[in-house]
Amino acid sequence: MARLRLSRRGLLGAVGLGLPLIAASRPSAAPIKVTDILGREVAVQLPVRRVLLGEGRQIHAIAALDRGNPFERIVGWGEDLEKSDPDSYRAYAERFPEVAGIPKFGSVGAGNFDVEKAISLQPDVLLLNYEAERASAEMQLVDKLASVGIAVLYVDFRHAPLRNTELSLRLLGRLFGSEAIADALIAFRRDQIARVTAPIARNPDLKRPLVMLDRIPGYSDACCMSFGKENFGLMVEMAGGHNLGSELLPGTFGTINPETIIARDPDVVIVTGGNWDALAPGGGWVGLGPGADLSAARSKLKALAKRPAFAHGKAVAEQRVFAIWHQFYNSPYQFVALQRIASWLHPELFGDIDAEATLRELHERFLPIQYQPGYWIGLAGGL
């Protein structure tokens, strides 16, 4: 349907002068108000046809809702998928070669988002993560884009994913005209979460092991970044563990000093890992992700277990040291990580849960790319 197309110079000139631009409406539909995860009501013409992703990893959600070709509506996206999750990027690029031609953007949060380039692509909507709210307010991004008819909506799969994933999926489903698919994915997610939470609720006297979440070790020489009460920290609690970071860290992310780890001597250590060749080449990180070399990942995990904070602890002695794909922390697939963590913490209670089968079913039912193993590993092997 027709939409007013102004030259890039005209768009940018109007924004620079602070003049509002009025885009021609699609003749067959009036704008509809939708609500994002911040509670903002924004008028958008549905379904959206041109989408700019403020973060490339948002494709993990969009691919499930627009399975035929999740990139058909994407006019630009953050460069983070290719850099932070290159194995997923390659999997999608092999299936959809047009991925290579999609313009890439810097991050709003990092201050290197190109507003002029974004306007020139004439998207209907820019999707931003929750974490970008402050930076976008400082640069008046919402107002600048609204003046040229571009809506800004916020989603969240990282800040408080167990709370906001369902809301974000419903919003995206409405934007894409994929409400039924969003409902099916949400139902699948709820069912898979209940397979963990229901047995935990039936066992109120369950002994909860103390868990140290070791966030992206080997990415740098620092020790030891972790998670507080949200994200992986909440997953550990839901899976029947006690997250050390929930006691010590006020926010979602933070650092626990090695002396505290030695003194508390956690029962279980869970490392998050990924492929960071582009960001920390040659690092000691545990390479995990679709198609990862699990033999190499285990070798890296063994090396990390020798660090002073862990080497003489009970988790290493009992080989209860595990690694899991870091990007579960920023996708709607956290329920798979929840299942994997639950079976590590309480194998006697969750012997019937196969997280790999769950992830395979997710791919078969919802995703356009084939499942490849490589998302977790254990110090003892066989996982």
Side-chain angles (χ1 to χ4, degrees):
M1 297 177 186
R3 182 179 177 178
L4 182 62
R5 298 299 184 194
L6 300 180
S7 71
R8 183 168 184 259
R9 178 178 298 177
L11 285 166
L12 301 181
V15 171
L17 293 172
L19 299 175
L21 291 174
I22 302 174
S25 300
R26 295 171 179 170
S28 63
I32 302 295
K33 284 188 177 180
V34 298
T35 304
D36 68 11
I37 59 100
L38 298 180
R40 300 167 58 252
E41 285 192 343
V42 180
V44 187
Q45 289 180 319
L46 302 178
V48 294
R49 297 191 171 195
R50 298 176 63 82
V51 180
L52 179 57
L53 304 184
E55 186 166 288
R57 283 170 289 183
Q58 291 166 347
I59 200 66
H60 288 306
I62 288 171
L65 302 175
D66 213 9
R67 184 177 182 178
N69 184 351
F71 299 97
E72 186 175 12
R73 309 176 206 231
I74 307 305
V75 297
W77 59 344
E79 60 188 1
D80 58 285
L81 183 73
E82 187 173 9
K83 291 183 175 181
S84 298
D85 188 7
D87 298 325
S88 294
Y89 177 86
R90 279 192 291 271
Y92 279 106
E94 288 174 2
R95 175 69 176 81
F96 302 99
E98 61 268 32
V99 163
I102 298 176
K104 297 184 180 67
F105 281 79
S107 165
V108 171
N112 58 1
F113 181 83
D114 189 335
V115 179
E116 295 185 0
K117 181 179 178 182
I119 292 173
S120 75
L121 295 172
Q122 303 178 53
D124 300 315
V125 63
L126 166 64
L127 295 176
L128 291 179
N129 280 4
Y130 170 91
E131 291 85 358
E133 180 193 13
R134 179 178 296 180
S136 62
E138 290 174 352
M139 62 189 293
Q140 299 180 317
L141 181 61
V142 173
D143 291 339
K144 288 177 181 178
L145 296 185
S147 71
V148 292
I150 300 170
V152 176
L153 293 165
Y154 292 88
V155 295
D156 177 39
F157 300 104
R158 178 168 53 212
H159 173 71
L162 276 302
R163 182 173 71 243
N164 288 332
T165 289
E166 187 170 310
L167 296 172
S168 298
L169 288 174
R170 290 198 188 282
L171 171 61
L172 293 174
R174 194 166 188 202
L175 292 177
F176 284 75
S178 303
E179 291 96 334
I181 299 173
D183 287 344
L185 178 56
I186 288 167
F188 178 67
R189 176 179 177 272
R190 284 182 178 178
D191 289 345
Q192 298 305 321
I193 290 174
R195 294 180 66 192
V196 172
T197 56
I200 295 294
R202 290 195 296 267
N203 290 270
D205 298 324
L206 186 70
K207 183 179 179 180
R208 290 176 171 263
L210 181 64
V211 179
M212 170 62 194
L213 284 165
D214 194 7
R215 183 165 61 96
I216 61 172
Y219 186 89
S220 69
D221 294 331
C223 182
C224 298
M225 292 188 290
S226 192
F227 294 85
K229 294 180 181 179
E230 255 300 345
N231 206 289
F232 267 107
L234 181 55
M235 286 185 247
V236 164
E237 300 286 339
M238 293 173 67
H242 177 62
N243 173 41
L244 180 59
S246 296
E247 296 179 22
L248 305 174
L249 304 177
T252 301
F253 309 105
T255 300
I256 301 175
N257 67 59
E259 292 77 13
T260 298
I261 298 168
I262 292 170
R264 295 300 304 276
D265 194 14
D267 302 294
V268 178
V269 173
I270 299 176
V271 165
T272 68
N275 181 347
W276 290 296
D277 263 333
L279 299 172
W285 38 265
V286 179
L288 295 172
D293 182 341
L294 292 182
S295 177
R298 182 175 288 113
S299 295
K300 292 272 192 82
L301 184 60
K302 289 179 178 179
L304 290 171
K306 295 177 182 178
R307 290 172 296 159
F310 304 97
H312 303 293
K314 69 177 72 170
V316 172
E318 298 173 6
Q319 294 197 309
R320 299 189 74 187
V321 179
F322 309 97
I324 194 163
W325 189 49
H326 182 70
Q327 300 304 332
F328 280 125
Y329 95 125
N330 190 27
S331 84
Y333 317 150
Q334 313 97 359
F335 58 89
V336 178
L338 175 66
Q339 290 187 353
R340 180 68 274 189
I341 291 169
S343 61
W344 282 334
L345 302 186
H346 298 288
E348 76 291 344
L349 192 61
F350 296 108
D352 63 333
I353 284 186
D354 183 346
E356 184 166 10
T358 299
L359 189 51
R360 188 182 299 275
E361 183 178 355
L362 173 71
H363 280 73
E364 292 173 350
R365 290 183 57 185
F366 296 100
L367 296 178
I369 55 175
Q370 291 188 337
Y371 172 72
Q372 300 178 70
Y375 291 88
W376 43 69
I377 199 69
L379 195 63
L383 293 170

